[in-house]
Amino acid sequence: MNGNGTMIWENGNRYDGSWEDGLPKGNGTFHWQDGSFYAGVWSRDQKEQSGKFYPSTSQDPHDDWDPNQLFSVEMGECLICEAENITIFPSDKTFSWSSGEGKPPRKNSRGNDTRERDRRVSVDERLSSCDTLSSEGNSANGLSTVSRKFKVTPTKRQGVTICKGHKNYELMLNLQLGIRHSVGRPAPTKSLKLKPTAFDAEQKLWTKFPPEGSKHTPPHQSCEFKWKDYCPLVFRTLRKLFNVDTADYMLSICGNDALRELSSPGKSGSFFYLTNDDKYMIKTMKKSEVKVLKRMLPAYFEHVKSFENTLVAKFFGLHCVKLSGPIQKKVRFVIMGNLLCTEIPIHKRFDLKGSSHGRITDKPESEIDANTTLKDLDLKFIFRLQKDWFQEFCSQVNKDCDFLEQERIMDYSLLVGISFQDTEATEGEAEPDCIRTTSGVSSTDVDLNPARWASVRLGINMPARVEFTVRSHETQLVGEPTGEFCNVVLFFGIIDILQDYDISKKLEHAYKSFQYDSTSISAVDPRLYSKRFRDFIFRVFTDDS
């Protein structure tokens, strides 16, 4: 084992930190099960060792423990084996399917088939909680269906894998090296209470990563770079607050699988990267966005600590990579949770702001798929939530909007992912059909037994209904209800919360107000934006009574 890693003994003791050739080397922490730990620099050569013991309140304080015992006693029975040479790294792999037509070959292995079948059964069990209606117009509940069907595009994996030769390949390696270093750094604090100094704008750590390695960094195949951690203690505490397991977090971002880059940058010019397991999204940031996040970080921390079900985006780390050379390029990025990380297929996704100017997808119908993010004027539904969920939803949206308004934030939106549950598809059919019903199965009647829906939370895996709507004119934000329903599972949250109402947005508002209705554009004062956003959201989300 080389680089950062964790070893856990049968008695519960563990070492977290740097390794070299199968032995602890560099920064690390040795924990005892009673909570005491020894943090410092480790080496088999006692002259290179340094550290400090942090006692707990237990009866056995371990204060007579010699750090050399990690090598002579704890690891005394460990067998260090020669590592197998890897001929090709995961991020260097390319794939070509031999079965033709760009499709992967069928797996004939019985073990693979069994695992795939088990995975499908797991998903199907969850989906079966909503009644599926038959194509002849009859359902198990005797409800009639409308002959018209709603086409749902099958989901595809987002993004392009960053393999060797990709223009951002080295940046990805730098990012992964930096994350390993940051997350693996010893962390003595376990409290959720932070001193004001932890939020200081000057709280940042620079680390140099030469290709040949250093006392604190491993050798690597990328160019030399510097790595900056902003407010590391704050983000470490946020990860703890959001119940993010340190080892899982590191493996998701820095494991053997390469990151995926989304096909095109966002409107702001930022690029987005997804981890292979879809848990985390990495967004490159402008300097102005970094300033906004650092400024609002104390209030953000208190807000997410106070409201467990907050819908605002979850931030797990703020970093910067500074490339060496004459250009001295800086790339700043933030690590966020991916709202739409789920095994349930997301058939449609919407970015909703409550404004109408430019809020329609410019893609032709034939190019719109399940990964296309649609906008306000593309929305043809009203979302109906069970009464208790709707009341909690309204309360939390108000709290989150109050927070964003106080921080002078605007241009945020509600990202909504929809998984249609009333679907049918014949063998070989490219698109499943969502069957509309005139009365539908109410989300209040859906089976919510704890085993099946244990993961339901506000904005996550929520059973609901959508009612289809029809617009009387093109710019009508919310259409008229038709009385036709479809059962769905919803995922939603408030994203893009780092745009304050600065001088550029004030000028944009002034300029566009001459050409368009000032209430229809996105760039408006935070108070007006908050009011308009809430008014719109509370029209498209309603009580399913």
Side-chain angles (χ1 to χ4, degrees), residues 4 67 73 97 127 157 302 316 327 344 492 529 535 544:
N4 281 328
V73 179
W97 308 115
L127 299 185
R157 200 158 171 80
E302 290 302 321
F316 303 126
I327 301 178
I344 298 177
F492 52 81
Y529 192 95
D535 289 345
D544 192 12

Side-chain angles (χ1 to χ4, degrees), residues 82-248:
E82 188 70 23
E84 179 185 350
N85 286 329
I86 299 175
T87 56
I88 183 168
F89 287 93
S91 53
D92 295 337
K93 292 179 183 177
T94 57
F95 301 93
S96 58
W97 308 115
S98 58
S99 60
E101 299 183 3
K103 296 180 180 179
R106 290 186 179 274
K107 296 180 180 177
N108 295 321
S109 164
R110 183 176 181 180
N112 287 341
D113 285 345
T114 303
R115 284 193 294 270
E116 178 64 17
R117 183 168 63 250
D118 290 344
R119 188 191 67 79
R120 287 199 304 268
V121 168
S122 174
V123 176
D124 291 343
E125 282 179 352
R126 186 178 297 183
L127 299 185
S128 66
S129 62
C130 298
D131 294 335
T132 302
L133 306 178
S134 66
S135 57
E136 286 77 19
N138 299 318
S139 74
N141 292 358
L143 301 173
S144 62
T145 64
V146 180
S147 59
R148 184 173 36 169
K149 294 179 180 180
F150 179 71
K151 286 289 185 181
V152 180
T153 311
T155 57
K156 298 177 183 178
R157 200 158 171 80
Q158 278 186 293
V160 177
T161 302
I162 305 176
C163 297
K164 200 165 188 176
H166 190 286
K167 63 178 181 178
N168 290 323
Y169 178 71
E170 284 201 343
L171 178 63
M172 180 193 74
L173 294 182
N174 297 346
L175 186 153
Q176 292 177 319
L177 285 164
I179 293 293
R180 284 195 195 106
H181 176 76
S182 299
V183 178
R185 188 181 295 120
T189 181
K190 291 186 178 181
S191 173
L192 294 179
K193 293 182 179 180
L194 296 177
K195 296 179 180 179
T197 52
F199 299 92
D200 194 320
E202 298 305 314
Q203 285 292 321
K204 52 194 176 187
L205 294 173
W206 277 105
T207 305
K208 189 176 181 180
F209 281 78
E212 66 275 11
S214 68
K215 186 176 180 179
H216 303 292
T217 63
H220 57 88
Q221 298 178 341
S222 183
C223 60
E224 181 175 308
F225 68 95
K226 286 186 176 181
W227 171 263
K228 184 194 285 188
D229 250 344
Y230 295 94
C231 301
L233 183 58
V234 176
F235 286 102
R236 187 181 289 270
T237 310
L238 280 172
R239 293 195 294 270
K240 180 179 176 62
L241 187 65
F242 294 137
N243 297 314
V244 174
D245 181 81
T246 300
D248 288 345

Side-chain angles (χ1 to χ4, degrees), residues 375-391:
K375 301 178 183 178
D376 301 65
L377 293 178
D378 299 305
L379 186 66
K380 299 174 183 177
F381 319 111
I382 291 174
F383 302 102
R384 297 198 175 275
L385 303 181
Q386 191 266 343
K387 184 176 181 180
D388 291 342
W389 281 119
F390 177 69
Q391 290 175 348

Side-chain angles (χ1 to χ4, degrees), residues 457-474:
R457 288 183 56 191
L458 185 65
I460 301 174
N461 200 30
M462 292 187 64
R465 290 197 299 167
V466 292
E467 181 175 3
F468 293 84
T469 60
V470 176
R471 288 183 172 82
S472 57
H473 55 86
E474 290 184 354

Side-chain angles (χ1 to χ4, degrees), residues 329-365:
K329 180 183 177 183
K330 285 185 179 181
V331 182
R332 304 168 181 87
F333 55 91
V334 66
I335 301 176
M336 306 177 288
N338 179 15
L339 276 171
L340 305 184
C341 175
T342 171
E343 64 181 9
I344 298 177
I346 300 295
H347 298 117
K348 284 192 177 290
R349 58 191 71 206
F350 290 88
D351 181 273
L352 305 176
K353 292 186 177 182
S355 56
S356 57
H357 175 63
R359 299 297 295 163
I360 191 167
T361 305
D362 53 7
K363 282 186 176 182
E365 189 74 26

Side-chain angles (χ1 to χ4, degrees), residues 29-94:
T29 308
F30 185 85
H31 294 265
W32 285 271
Q33 207 172 14
D34 63 5
S36 55
F37 61 94
Y38 190 100
V41 177
W42 303 83
S43 174
R44 197 159 198 170
D45 184 351
Q46 296 187 46
K47 296 178 182 178
E48 296 179 2
Q49 285 189 2
S50 63
K52 184 178 179 181
F53 175 74
Y54 295 85
S56 71
T57 56
S58 72
Q59 298 295 323
D60 186 12
H62 310 289
D63 53 1
D64 59 344
W65 189 79
D66 183 346
N68 196 49
Q69 288 182 245
L70 175 60
F71 302 90
S72 60
V73 179
E74 273 74 14
M75 299 202 68
E77 297 181 3
C78 294
L79 179 64
I80 300 174
C81 302
E82 188 70 23
E84 179 185 350
N85 286 329
I86 299 175
T87 56
I88 183 168
F89 287 93
S91 53
D92 295 337
K93 292 179 183 177
T94 57

